[in-house]
mmCIF file of all heavy atoms in Angstrom:
data_model
loop_
_atom_site.group_PDB
_atom_site.id
_atom_site.type_symbol
_atom_site.label_atom_id
_atom_site.label_comp_id
_atom_site.label_asym_id
_atom_site.label_seq_id
_atom_site.Cartn_x
_atom_site.Cartn_y
_atom_site.Cartn_z
ATOM 1 N N GLN A 62 -16.756 -117.933 113.060
ATOM 2 C CA GLN A 62 -17.586 -118.260 111.915
ATOM 3 C C GLN A 62 -17.112 -119.609 111.325
ATOM 4 O O GLN A 62 -15.945 -119.864 111.269
ATOM 5 C CB GLN A 62 -17.478 -117.159 110.891
ATOM 6 C CG GLN A 62 -18.208 -117.484 109.590
ATOM 7 C CD GLN A 62 -17.763 -116.659 108.430
ATOM 8 O OE1 GLN A 62 -16.646 -116.078 108.435
ATOM 9 N NE2 GLN A 62 -18.564 -116.624 107.355
ATOM 10 N N THR A 69 -23.449 -121.032 106.701
ATOM 11 C CA THR A 69 -22.676 -120.265 107.654
ATOM 12 C C THR A 69 -23.243 -120.323 109.017
ATOM 13 O O THR A 69 -24.454 -120.217 109.219
ATOM 14 C CB THR A 69 -22.612 -118.775 107.214
ATOM 15 O OG1 THR A 69 -22.002 -118.698 105.903
ATOM 16 C CG2 THR A 69 -21.878 -117.930 108.149
ATOM 17 N N ALA A 70 -22.369 -120.457 110.023
ATOM 18 C CA ALA A 70 -22.720 -120.259 111.435
ATOM 19 C C ALA A 70 -21.791 -119.169 111.997
ATOM 20 O O ALA A 70 -20.579 -119.243 111.735
ATOM 21 C CB ALA A 70 -22.564 -121.583 112.206
ATOM 22 N N VAL A 71 -22.404 -118.222 112.663
ATOM 23 C CA VAL A 71 -21.676 -117.132 113.299
ATOM 24 C C VAL A 71 -21.969 -117.184 114.773
ATOM 25 O O VAL A 71 -23.128 -117.256 115.162
ATOM 26 C CB VAL A 71 -22.075 -115.755 112.753
ATOM 27 C CG1 VAL A 71 -21.293 -114.593 113.437
ATOM 28 C CG2 VAL A 71 -21.811 -115.678 111.227
ATOM 29 N N GLU A 72 -20.913 -117.172 115.598
ATOM 30 C CA GLU A 72 -21.085 -117.140 117.051
ATOM 31 C C GLU A 72 -20.523 -115.907 117.632
ATOM 32 O O GLU A 72 -19.377 -115.484 117.321
ATOM 33 C CB GLU A 72 -20.384 -118.374 117.642
ATOM 34 C CG GLU A 72 -20.491 -118.526 119.119
ATOM 35 C CD GLU A 72 -19.846 -119.729 119.664
ATOM 36 O OE1 GLU A 72 -19.509 -120.685 118.943
ATOM 37 O OE2 GLU A 72 -19.539 -119.756 120.885
ATOM 38 N N LEU A 73 -21.236 -115.249 118.496
ATOM 39 C CA LEU A 73 -20.804 -114.071 119.210
ATOM 40 C C LEU A 73 -20.738 -114.296 120.698
ATOM 41 O O LEU A 73 -21.572 -114.989 121.281
ATOM 42 C CB LEU A 73 -21.883 -112.928 118.964
ATOM 43 C CG LEU A 73 -21.821 -111.681 119.870
ATOM 44 C CD1 LEU A 73 -20.616 -110.896 119.514
ATOM 45 C CD2 LEU A 73 -23.084 -110.892 119.725
ATOM 46 N N GLY A 85 -29.567 -106.299 120.957
ATOM 47 C CA GLY A 85 -29.665 -106.726 119.608
ATOM 48 C C GLY A 85 -28.210 -106.768 119.100
ATOM 49 O O GLY A 85 -27.319 -106.036 119.532
ATOM 50 N N ALA A 86 -27.937 -107.609 118.123
ATOM 51 C CA ALA A 86 -26.642 -107.636 117.462
ATOM 52 C C ALA A 86 -26.804 -108.202 116.083
ATOM 53 O O ALA A 86 -27.644 -109.131 115.891
ATOM 54 C CB ALA A 86 -25.626 -108.451 118.250
ATOM 55 N N HIS A 87 -26.109 -107.665 115.077
ATOM 56 C CA HIS A 87 -26.261 -108.122 113.761
ATOM 57 C C HIS A 87 -24.939 -107.985 112.969
ATOM 58 O O HIS A 87 -24.049 -107.243 113.386
ATOM 59 C CB HIS A 87 -27.277 -107.221 112.969
ATOM 60 C CG HIS A 87 -28.466 -106.914 113.712
ATOM 61 N ND1 HIS A 87 -28.708 -105.694 114.326
ATOM 62 C CD2 HIS A 87 -29.570 -107.675 113.980
ATOM 63 C CE1 HIS A 87 -29.887 -105.780 114.935
ATOM 64 N NE2 HIS A 87 -30.455 -106.935 114.733
ATOM 65 N N VAL A 88 -24.759 -108.725 111.912
ATOM 66 C CA VAL A 88 -23.695 -108.541 110.971
ATOM 67 C C VAL A 88 -24.041 -107.330 110.084
ATOM 68 O O VAL A 88 -25.155 -107.242 109.590
ATOM 69 C CB VAL A 88 -23.429 -109.829 110.144
ATOM 70 C CG1 VAL A 88 -22.399 -109.583 109.069
ATOM 71 C CG2 VAL A 88 -23.009 -110.957 111.068
ATOM 72 N N HIS A 89 -23.040 -106.442 109.966
ATOM 73 C CA HIS A 89 -23.192 -105.255 109.136
ATOM 74 C C HIS A 89 -22.296 -105.251 107.971
ATOM 75 O O HIS A 89 -21.348 -105.981 107.896
ATOM 76 C CB HIS A 89 -22.974 -103.983 109.960
ATOM 77 C CG HIS A 89 -24.167 -103.633 110.851
ATOM 78 N ND1 HIS A 89 -24.900 -102.504 110.705
ATOM 79 C CD2 HIS A 89 -24.750 -104.311 111.895
ATOM 80 C CE1 HIS A 89 -25.837 -102.449 111.608
ATOM 81 N NE2 HIS A 89 -25.856 -103.553 112.340
ATOM 82 N N HIS A 103 -27.422 -103.632 107.811
ATOM 83 C CA HIS A 103 -27.320 -105.062 108.044
ATOM 84 C C HIS A 103 -26.917 -105.757 106.766
ATOM 85 O O HIS A 103 -27.411 -105.437 105.673
ATOM 86 C CB HIS A 103 -28.590 -105.663 108.519
ATOM 87 C CG HIS A 103 -29.070 -105.178 109.834
ATOM 88 N ND1 HIS A 103 -30.313 -105.615 110.376
ATOM 89 C CD2 HIS A 103 -28.599 -104.272 110.708
ATOM 90 C CE1 HIS A 103 -30.462 -105.012 111.557
ATOM 91 N NE2 HIS A 103 -29.455 -104.183 111.723
ATOM 92 N N TYR A 104 -26.087 -106.776 106.851
ATOM 93 C CA TYR A 104 -25.867 -107.658 105.702
ATOM 94 C C TYR A 104 -27.163 -108.375 105.427
ATOM 95 O O TYR A 104 -27.803 -108.918 106.348
ATOM 96 C CB TYR A 104 -24.721 -108.672 106.026
ATOM 97 C CG TYR A 104 -24.533 -109.660 104.851
ATOM 98 C CD1 TYR A 104 -23.562 -109.331 103.928
ATOM 99 C CD2 TYR A 104 -25.290 -110.812 104.794
ATOM 100 C CE1 TYR A 104 -23.410 -110.172 102.820
ATOM 101 C CE2 TYR A 104 -25.096 -111.648 103.670
ATOM 102 C CZ TYR A 104 -24.168 -111.311 102.707
ATOM 103 O OH TYR A 104 -23.981 -112.138 101.645
ATOM 104 N N GLN A 105 -27.569 -108.453 104.170
ATOM 105 C CA GLN A 105 -28.745 -109.211 103.781
ATOM 106 C C GLN A 105 -28.367 -110.182 102.619
ATOM 107 O O GLN A 105 -27.693 -109.773 101.686
ATOM 108 C CB GLN A 105 -29.866 -108.283 103.292
ATOM 109 C CG GLN A 105 -30.417 -107.439 104.402
ATOM 110 C CD GLN A 105 -31.583 -106.537 103.916
ATOM 111 O OE1 GLN A 105 -31.563 -105.982 102.822
ATOM 112 N NE2 GLN A 105 -32.574 -106.442 104.813
ATOM 113 N N HIS A 106 -28.822 -111.417 102.760
ATOM 114 C CA HIS A 106 -28.587 -112.388 101.716
ATOM 115 C C HIS A 106 -29.351 -111.978 100.463
ATOM 116 O O HIS A 106 -28.770 -111.974 99.354
ATOM 117 C CB HIS A 106 -28.999 -113.820 102.176
ATOM 118 C CG HIS A 106 -28.836 -114.867 101.193
ATOM 119 N ND1 HIS A 106 -27.595 -115.175 100.715
ATOM 120 C CD2 HIS A 106 -29.734 -115.692 100.583
ATOM 121 C CE1 HIS A 106 -27.735 -116.198 99.828
ATOM 122 N NE2 HIS A 106 -29.014 -116.508 99.725
ATOM 123 N N TYR A 119 -37.452 -108.960 104.097
ATOM 124 C CA TYR A 119 -35.997 -108.887 104.005
ATOM 125 C C TYR A 119 -35.299 -108.765 105.358
ATOM 126 O O TYR A 119 -34.239 -109.387 105.555
ATOM 127 C CB TYR A 119 -35.607 -107.654 103.174
ATOM 128 C CG TYR A 119 -36.028 -107.695 101.696
ATOM 129 C CD1 TYR A 119 -37.280 -107.163 101.346
ATOM 130 C CD2 TYR A 119 -35.290 -108.320 100.802
ATOM 131 C CE1 TYR A 119 -37.678 -107.196 100.004
ATOM 132 C CE2 TYR A 119 -35.636 -108.399 99.416
ATOM 133 C CZ TYR A 119 -36.894 -107.856 99.104
ATOM 134 O OH TYR A 119 -37.285 -107.880 97.771
ATOM 135 N N ALA A 120 -35.869 -107.960 106.241
ATOM 136 C CA ALA A 120 -35.250 -107.786 107.577
ATOM 137 C C ALA A 120 -35.811 -108.826 108.544
ATOM 138 O O ALA A 120 -36.832 -108.600 109.199
ATOM 139 C CB ALA A 120 -35.542 -106.333 108.102
ATOM 140 N N ASN A 121 -35.172 -109.981 108.499
ATOM 141 C CA ASN A 121 -35.548 -111.084 109.331
ATOM 142 C C ASN A 121 -34.359 -111.963 109.615
ATOM 143 O O ASN A 121 -33.389 -111.852 108.926
ATOM 144 C CB ASN A 121 -36.755 -111.921 108.661
ATOM 145 C CG ASN A 121 -36.286 -112.509 107.370
ATOM 146 O OD1 ASN A 121 -35.462 -113.429 107.377
ATOM 147 N ND2 ASN A 121 -36.892 -112.135 106.231
ATOM 148 N N PRO A 122 -34.455 -112.845 110.633
ATOM 149 C CA PRO A 122 -33.269 -113.654 110.962
ATOM 150 C C PRO A 122 -32.889 -114.736 109.991
ATOM 151 O O PRO A 122 -31.828 -115.353 110.092
ATOM 152 C CB PRO A 122 -33.645 -114.203 112.335
ATOM 153 C CG PRO A 122 -35.122 -114.205 112.389
ATOM 154 C CD PRO A 122 -35.554 -113.046 111.532
ATOM 155 N N ARG A 123 -33.709 -114.986 108.962
ATOM 156 C CA ARG A 123 -33.342 -115.997 107.913
ATOM 157 C C ARG A 123 -32.568 -115.317 106.814
ATOM 158 O O ARG A 123 -31.819 -115.972 106.126
ATOM 159 C CB ARG A 123 -34.629 -116.674 107.402
ATOM 160 C CG ARG A 123 -35.259 -117.566 108.401
ATOM 161 C CD ARG A 123 -36.678 -117.959 107.972
ATOM 162 N NE ARG A 123 -37.567 -116.889 107.535
ATOM 163 C CZ ARG A 123 -38.147 -115.932 108.310
ATOM 164 N NH1 ARG A 123 -37.942 -115.983 109.628
ATOM 165 N NH2 ARG A 123 -38.914 -114.976 107.802
ATOM 166 N N ASN A 124 -32.781 -113.979 106.628
ATOM 167 C CA ASN A 124 -32.131 -113.256 105.518
ATOM 168 C C ASN A 124 -30.989 -112.422 106.003
ATOM 169 O O ASN A 124 -30.170 -111.925 105.185
ATOM 170 C CB ASN A 124 -33.149 -112.407 104.816
ATOM 171 C CG ASN A 124 -32.693 -111.820 103.532
ATOM 172 O OD1 ASN A 124 -32.068 -112.530 102.709
ATOM 173 N ND2 ASN A 124 -32.824 -110.534 103.316
ATOM 174 N N GLU A 125 -30.884 -112.239 107.314
ATOM 175 C CA GLU A 125 -29.787 -111.476 107.910
ATOM 176 C C GLU A 125 -29.187 -112.378 109.059
ATOM 177 O O GLU A 125 -29.731 -113.403 109.406
ATOM 178 C CB GLU A 125 -30.345 -110.203 108.536
ATOM 179 C CG GLU A 125 -30.948 -109.229 107.556
ATOM 180 C CD GLU A 125 -31.474 -107.939 108.180
ATOM 181 O OE1 GLU A 125 -31.543 -107.840 109.451
ATOM 182 O OE2 GLU A 125 -31.802 -107.033 107.457
ATOM 183 N N ALA A 126 -28.030 -111.953 109.549
ATOM 184 C CA ALA A 126 -27.445 -112.694 110.722
ATOM 185 C C ALA A 126 -27.718 -111.966 111.972
ATOM 186 O O ALA A 126 -27.060 -110.938 112.306
ATOM 187 C CB ALA A 126 -25.963 -112.821 110.457
ATOM 188 N N TRP A 127 -28.788 -112.354 112.667
ATOM 189 C CA TRP A 127 -29.195 -111.762 113.942
ATOM 190 C C TRP A 127 -28.515 -112.530 115.090
ATOM 191 O O TRP A 127 -28.579 -113.749 115.167
ATOM 192 C CB TRP A 127 -30.666 -111.727 114.123
ATOM 193 C CG TRP A 127 -31.399 -110.870 113.241
ATOM 194 C CD1 TRP A 127 -30.899 -110.139 112.107
ATOM 195 C CD2 TRP A 127 -32.791 -110.518 113.260
ATOM 196 N NE1 TRP A 127 -31.922 -109.414 111.540
ATOM 197 C CE2 TRP A 127 -33.082 -109.634 112.167
ATOM 198 C CE3 TRP A 127 -33.834 -110.886 114.017
ATOM 199 C CZ2 TRP A 127 -34.399 -109.121 111.935
ATOM 200 C CZ3 TRP A 127 -35.131 -110.426 113.813
ATOM 201 C CH2 TRP A 127 -35.367 -109.540 112.785
ATOM 202 N N LEU A 128 -27.921 -111.789 116.040
ATOM 203 C CA LEU A 128 -27.213 -112.405 117.166
ATOM 204 C C LEU A 128 -27.664 -111.776 118.498
ATOM 205 O O LEU A 128 -26.870 -111.508 119.391
ATOM 206 C CB LEU A 128 -25.712 -112.247 116.993
ATOM 207 C CG LEU A 128 -25.137 -112.886 115.790
ATOM 208 C CD1 LEU A 128 -23.859 -112.206 115.304
ATOM 209 C CD2 LEU A 128 -24.856 -114.362 116.079
ATOM 210 N N ASP A 129 -28.994 -111.552 118.629
ATOM 211 C CA ASP A 129 -29.490 -110.995 119.864
ATOM 212 C C ASP A 129 -29.109 -111.873 121.047
ATOM 213 O O ASP A 129 -29.102 -113.091 120.955
ATOM 214 C CB ASP A 129 -30.966 -110.818 119.805
ATOM 215 C CG ASP A 129 -31.475 -109.797 118.731
ATOM 216 O OD1 ASP A 129 -30.633 -109.319 117.970
ATOM 217 O OD2 ASP A 129 -32.685 -109.503 118.810
ATOM 218 N N ALA A 140 -24.501 -115.545 121.454
ATOM 219 C CA ALA A 140 -25.561 -116.054 120.581
ATOM 220 C C ALA A 140 -24.908 -116.708 119.381
ATOM 221 O O ALA A 140 -23.714 -116.459 119.090
ATOM 222 C CB ALA A 140 -26.438 -114.899 120.095
ATOM 223 N N VAL A 141 -25.749 -117.478 118.686
ATOM 224 C CA VAL A 141 -25.325 -118.121 117.479
ATOM 225 C C VAL A 141 -26.375 -117.921 116.367
ATOM 226 O O VAL A 141 -27.598 -118.001 116.642
ATOM 227 C CB VAL A 141 -25.084 -119.675 117.637
ATOM 228 C CG1 VAL A 141 -24.781 -120.311 116.343
ATOM 229 C CG2 VAL A 141 -23.965 -119.916 118.674
ATOM 230 N N ALA A 142 -25.964 -117.598 115.147
ATOM 231 C CA ALA A 142 -26.855 -117.450 114.031
ATOM 232 C C ALA A 142 -26.450 -118.466 112.996
ATOM 233 O O ALA A 142 -25.224 -118.548 112.635
ATOM 234 C CB ALA A 142 -26.818 -116.066 113.433
ATOM 235 N N GLU A 143 -27.294 -119.336 112.571
ATOM 236 C CA GLU A 143 -27.012 -120.376 111.544
ATOM 237 C C GLU A 143 -27.815 -120.016 110.285
ATOM 238 O O GLU A 143 -29.032 -119.864 110.406
ATOM 239 C CB GLU A 143 -27.335 -121.759 112.081
ATOM 240 C CG GLU A 143 -26.398 -122.146 113.247
ATOM 241 C CD GLU A 143 -26.635 -123.553 113.731
ATOM 242 O OE1 GLU A 143 -27.671 -124.171 113.406
ATOM 243 O OE2 GLU A 143 -25.788 -123.991 114.490
ATOM 244 N N GLN A 144 -27.160 -120.003 109.161
ATOM 245 C CA GLN A 144 -27.788 -119.619 107.923
ATOM 246 C C GLN A 144 -27.585 -120.711 106.867
ATOM 247 O O GLN A 144 -26.580 -121.420 106.901
ATOM 248 C CB GLN A 144 -27.226 -118.303 107.407
ATOM 249 C CG GLN A 144 -27.340 -117.166 108.340
ATOM 250 C CD GLN A 144 -28.720 -116.847 108.801
ATOM 251 O OE1 GLN A 144 -29.740 -117.430 108.371
ATOM 252 N NE2 GLN A 144 -28.878 -115.980 109.756
ATOM 253 N N TRP A 146 -26.987 -120.028 103.868
ATOM 254 C CA TRP A 146 -26.144 -119.329 102.892
ATOM 255 C C TRP A 146 -24.887 -118.810 103.451
ATOM 256 O O TRP A 146 -24.701 -118.958 104.675
ATOM 257 C CB TRP A 146 -27.033 -118.224 102.255
ATOM 258 C CG TRP A 146 -27.774 -117.326 103.302
ATOM 259 C CD1 TRP A 146 -29.065 -117.531 103.660
ATOM 260 C CD2 TRP A 146 -27.269 -116.327 104.149
ATOM 261 N NE1 TRP A 146 -29.438 -116.636 104.613
ATOM 262 C CE2 TRP A 146 -28.364 -115.869 104.967
ATOM 263 C CE3 TRP A 146 -26.041 -115.746 104.335
ATOM 264 C CZ2 TRP A 146 -28.249 -114.893 105.879
ATOM 265 C CZ3 TRP A 146 -25.884 -114.694 105.185
ATOM 266 C CH2 TRP A 146 -26.977 -114.262 106.013
ATOM 267 N N PHE A 148 -21.764 -115.597 103.276
ATOM 268 C CA PHE A 148 -21.561 -114.168 102.968
ATOM 269 C C PHE A 148 -20.896 -114.037 101.599
ATOM 270 O O PHE A 148 -20.012 -114.810 101.300
ATOM 271 C CB PHE A 148 -20.685 -113.443 104.017
ATOM 272 C CG PHE A 148 -21.237 -113.506 105.396
ATOM 273 C CD1 PHE A 148 -20.562 -113.999 106.437
ATOM 274 C CD2 PHE A 148 -22.545 -112.948 105.631
ATOM 275 C CE1 PHE A 148 -21.019 -113.990 107.771
ATOM 276 C CE2 PHE A 148 -23.048 -112.943 106.923
ATOM 277 C CZ PHE A 148 -22.303 -113.480 107.979
ATOM 278 N N ALA A 153 -19.715 -108.563 104.070
ATOM 279 C CA ALA A 153 -19.974 -108.686 105.546
ATOM 280 C C ALA A 153 -18.722 -108.266 106.251
ATOM 281 O O ALA A 153 -17.673 -108.867 106.081
ATOM 282 C CB ALA A 153 -20.347 -110.122 105.923
ATOM 283 N N SER A 155 -18.619 -106.415 109.756
ATOM 284 C CA SER A 155 -18.592 -106.099 111.215
ATOM 285 C C SER A 155 -19.785 -106.735 111.923
ATOM 286 O O SER A 155 -20.758 -107.134 111.221
ATOM 287 C CB SER A 155 -18.611 -104.613 111.420
ATOM 288 O OG SER A 155 -19.797 -103.975 110.852
ATOM 289 N N VAL A 156 -19.734 -106.740 113.251
ATOM 290 C CA VAL A 156 -20.826 -107.076 114.089
ATOM 291 C C VAL A 156 -21.093 -105.858 115.000
ATOM 292 O O VAL A 156 -20.198 -105.289 115.597
ATOM 293 C CB VAL A 156 -20.530 -108.265 115.001
ATOM 294 C CG1 VAL A 156 -21.598 -108.509 116.075
ATOM 295 C CG2 VAL A 156 -20.364 -109.521 114.155
ATOM 296 N N VAL A 157 -22.373 -105.439 114.993
ATOM 297 C CA VAL A 157 -22.774 -104.261 115.794
ATOM 298 C C VAL A 157 -23.655 -104.704 116.927
ATOM 299 O O VAL A 157 -24.617 -105.513 116.695
ATOM 300 C CB VAL A 157 -23.449 -103.189 114.888
ATOM 301 C CG1 VAL A 157 -24.052 -102.083 115.758
ATOM 302 C CG2 VAL A 157 -22.509 -102.674 113.780
ATOM 303 N N HIS A 159 -26.499 -103.502 119.498
ATOM 304 C CA HIS A 159 -27.513 -102.490 119.585
ATOM 305 C C HIS A 159 -28.126 -102.424 120.965
ATOM 306 O O HIS A 159 -28.047 -103.405 121.741
ATOM 307 C CB HIS A 159 -28.613 -102.743 118.597
ATOM 308 C CG HIS A 159 -28.203 -102.620 117.124
ATOM 309 N ND1 HIS A 159 -28.260 -101.460 116.416
ATOM 310 C CD2 HIS A 159 -27.648 -103.560 116.305
ATOM 311 C CE1 HIS A 159 -27.840 -101.620 115.198
ATOM 312 N NE2 HIS A 159 -27.401 -102.914 115.099
ATOM 313 N N THR A 163 -33.954 -107.085 118.605
ATOM 314 C CA THR A 163 -34.432 -106.724 117.296
ATOM 315 C C THR A 163 -35.940 -106.835 117.040
ATOM 316 O O THR A 163 -36.567 -107.871 117.478
ATOM 317 C CB THR A 163 -33.762 -107.602 116.212
ATOM 318 O OG1 THR A 163 -32.322 -107.629 116.495
ATOM 319 C CG2 THR A 163 -33.986 -107.101 114.838
ATOM 320 N N PHE A 184 -14.763 -111.681 108.034
ATOM 321 C CA PHE A 184 -15.618 -112.816 107.726
ATOM 322 C C PHE A 184 -15.119 -113.586 106.506
ATOM 323 O O PHE A 184 -14.544 -113.009 105.606
ATOM 324 C CB PHE A 184 -17.063 -112.391 107.450
ATOM 325 C CG PHE A 184 -17.843 -112.007 108.739
ATOM 326 C CD1 PHE A 184 -18.135 -110.716 108.976
ATOM 327 C CD2 PHE A 184 -18.193 -112.983 109.626
ATOM 328 C CE1 PHE A 184 -18.802 -110.365 110.117
ATOM 329 C CE2 PHE A 184 -18.892 -112.704 110.771
ATOM 330 C CZ PHE A 184 -19.194 -111.343 111.002
#
Side-chain angles (χ1 to χ4, degrees):
Q62 176 198 19
T69 297
V71 177
E72 182 178 340
L73 167 70
H87 315 104
V88 173
H89 281 245
H103 296 179
Y104 177 92
Q105 293 184 321
H106 179 62
Y119 295 93
N121 65 64
R123 292 166 311 287
N124 192 48
E125 299 180 347
W127 291 9
L128 296 154
D129 292 10
V141 175
E143 295 183 347
Q144 304 302 354
W146 43 262
F148 299 125
S155 62
V156 170
V157 173
H159 294 268
T163 310
F184 285 110

